[in-house]
Amino acid sequence: MGTRDCGHEISMSTPSPGEAGDTGDWRTARPTLRADLCLAVRQNDLACQLCWVYCPDVCVARGIPPTMDLRYCKGCGICAEVCPVDALRMVPEGSPSEGEP
Amino acid sequence: MSDALTVVMTGNEAAATAARLARVQVIAAYPITPQSPVVETLSKWVEDGELEAEMVRVESEHSALTVCIAAASVGARVFTATSANGLAYMNEQIWWAAGARVPVVMACANRAMAAPWNVLNDQQDSMSVRDAGWIQLYCRDNQEILDTTLQAFRLAESLHLPVLVCYDGFLLSHTVMPVEIPSEAAVDELLPRGRPLQVLDPLDPRNVGPVTLADPRPDPGGVLCHGYMELRALHHRALASALTAIPEVDNAFGRVLGRTFGGLSYGHLLEDAEVVLVAAGSLSLELGAVAESLRGEGIRAGVLGLRAYRPFPRDEVRTALRRRQLCLVFDKAMSYGHEGPICSDVRGALGGVPGAPLVYGAVAGLGGRDVTPGQLADTVRRAVADVRAGVRDRPEEWVNLRL
């Protein structure tokens, strides 16, 4: 029943999806992509991908266009901040979305 | 040791020498009196190529300890030193180092806390971080500073606990005395590299110290992992195990270097003592001379010196103080609004012990106030007179207070 069998002496975890729970429900705004503006889509290539590079929670998957795992996205907005063409915008949760992430 | 070398040096040089002999790999520190010569000395050795270590210059003590925590987390042997407000500025990271169980060794040249500003000695700085979960060792002289700092690396790396090596600012940090420097070969034998609990490695990534909430929670693989309280219990147990490890390491070093320091505590004239004077650090040596002189006038005094303050050597204190008439605890610090911290701990250790002595407190040497053997002897005489007059308890005496 106890925790002694986990073998840890310190607080430690292996990075993996969901290790801190479903953190997507912390979100107050969601990253929303306008695919027609996304450089990867426009060039039909794995171009840019800065949102994937910068996402601190590994919620962005590389792709044409990149996709987001909203189950874990906390809505920090870094992806929208680094997007060079303003294709990603943060939309408050509960408002109608401008496009699919 | 035939190849040991005896050199006249300050306490700060003794601490720096120990770090060099331990072949520390990363040093980060910020200057503060009276500790500064420790890192100045190490810095010179690094610059001259005598010590192959990374000297990280930082803008604050908080960053100094942060660098040490980070370097220890990738498996480096690390060292830092500070005093007083520098130690206070580290406070957040002091707790982090302990909770993350990284083997940081830090020297603390004990100094009074501001305000008001004061650079001189007392022990308020280190006493104020006693609850963070570091091992705290107090030194009496410069040889003990060198040897204890070496021992600290072994304790830190075997128990996965940070260690604070405390010695009185100026009284030891800037006072020269002969110190035997062990050979590098002897130290290498005594300090094999320890294995950290977790080495950060990009090829096998881990989150160290992630959010750990109240209750145990299964990891994504379904293994039930500790909650916050389980980790704190493990930490507490590790400190308790230091009660065994500190004397063991002292003895292991003694077998190679030919000297030991008493493990957790040391006694002077204790055997038949009716009045036991308790202190930590250089004051305990001075109290030894005081006890000797008091015996000439019929007061059977002895000294119990604390080498380990955390973990607190409760059993040794109980054994040493049972069936005495009076225990007079000298603190160079206060828990303001209550009493001296060592005094509180001694009282706590003796609670419910049959044959426990009366415990009186005395506060001495705050902010570098001189404490002469004559004043200490007077304090003991007054305490003995109070015991004979049937006083069971009294407020602590402030030695040489001129209010």
Side-chain angles (χ1 to χ4, degrees), chain B residues 112-380:
Chain B
M113 291 298 304
W117 203 248
N118 178 301
V119 298
L120 303 174
N121 167 244
D122 63 35
Q123 295 170 345
Q124 189 69 54
D125 49 2
S126 51
M127 288 288 163
S128 299
V129 297
R130 67 175 185 184
D131 297 335
W134 289 51
I135 293 173
Q136 274 199 14
L137 304 172
Y138 287 78
C139 304
R140 281 163 283 179
D141 60 35
N142 295 357
Q143 184 73 62
E144 190 168 356
I145 293 171
L146 191 151
D147 288 35
T148 301
T149 307
L150 288 175
Q151 293 180 17
F153 285 101
R154 174 112 154 228
L155 290 165
E157 291 171 15
S158 57
L159 301 177
H160 311 291
L161 288 170
V163 183
L164 193 65
V165 180
C166 308
Y167 52 91
D168 292 304
F170 291 109
L171 299 178
L172 297 179
S173 71
H174 285 65
T175 304
V176 294
M177 52 186 89
V179 174
E180 188 179 291
I181 304 174
S183 71
E184 290 182 359
V187 175
D188 287 346
E189 180 195 330
L190 287 164
L191 291 181
R193 297 272 162 188
R195 254 200 81 71
L197 286 173
Q198 179 64 43
V199 177
L200 286 182
D201 178 359
L203 298 177
D204 183 20
R206 291 284 187 280
N207 287 336
V208 176
V211 175
T212 304
L213 296 177
D215 289 322
R217 215 166 56 85
D219 67 12
V223 177
L224 191 65
C225 292
H226 308 306
Y228 186 86
M229 245 178 120
E230 284 73 27
L231 290 159
R232 285 303 183 185
L234 290 169
H235 184 178
H236 185 59
R237 286 178 195 180
L239 271 166
S241 73
L243 290 169
T244 315
I246 291 167
E248 278 174 3
V249 169
D250 194 26
N251 287 329
F253 274 61
R255 283 192 288 277
V256 176
L257 304 181
R259 52 182 176 266
T260 56
F261 300 92
L264 301 168
S265 67
Y266 41 86
H268 181 63
L269 301 175
L270 262 189
E271 196 163 320
D272 64 340
E274 293 172 335
V275 177
V276 179
L277 316 177
V278 179
S282 64
L283 187 59
S284 63
L285 275 189
E286 189 178 353
L287 287 169
V290 171
E292 286 167 21
S293 75
L294 286 169
R295 282 178 174 251
E297 54 190 82
I299 296 176
R300 275 198 291 177
V303 176
L304 174 67
L306 295 178
R307 183 162 179 259
Y309 180 60
R310 283 294 180 273
F312 190 73
R314 185 165 45 196
D315 291 346
E316 287 203 4
V317 166
R318 280 181 183 161
T319 306
L321 297 182
R322 273 170 72 172
R323 287 186 278 281
R324 315 288 183 178
Q325 258 182 24
L326 172 68
C327 167
L328 181 54
V329 183
F330 289 83
D331 272 287
K332 279 188 170 183
M334 274 296 283
S335 175
Y336 285 96
H338 188 33
E339 61 184 350
I342 303 177
C343 186
S344 281
D345 288 343
V346 167
R347 286 189 207 275
L350 292 173
V353 172
L358 290 178
V359 179
Y360 289 173
V363 177
L366 299 190
R369 174 64 56 87
D370 205 12
V371 194
T372 65
Q375 288 158 350
L376 293 169
D378 281 345
T379 300
V380 179

Side-chain angles (χ1 to χ4, degrees), chain A residues 2 9 14 19 39 47 55 73 90-91 96:
Chain A
E9 277 282 310
T14 308
E19 76 169 73
L39 287 177
C55 176
C73 167
M90 299 305 291
V91 176

Side-chain angles (χ1 to χ4, degrees), chain B residues 7-56:
Chain B
V7 173
V8 173
M9 64 169 76
T10 64
N12 280 335
E13 287 164 348
T17 301
R20 174 170 60 79
L21 287 168
R23 301 185 194 279
V24 294
Q25 294 160 299
V26 175
I27 304 157
Y30 191 82
I32 185 167
T33 303
Q35 158 279 142
S36 302
V38 178
V39 276
E40 286 166 4
T41 305
L42 286 167
S43 177
K44 182 179 185 310
W45 286 335
V46 170
E47 192 66 21
D48 292 349
E50 288 177 51
L51 174 61
E52 201 178 323
E54 187 87 16
M55 185 84 187
V56 183

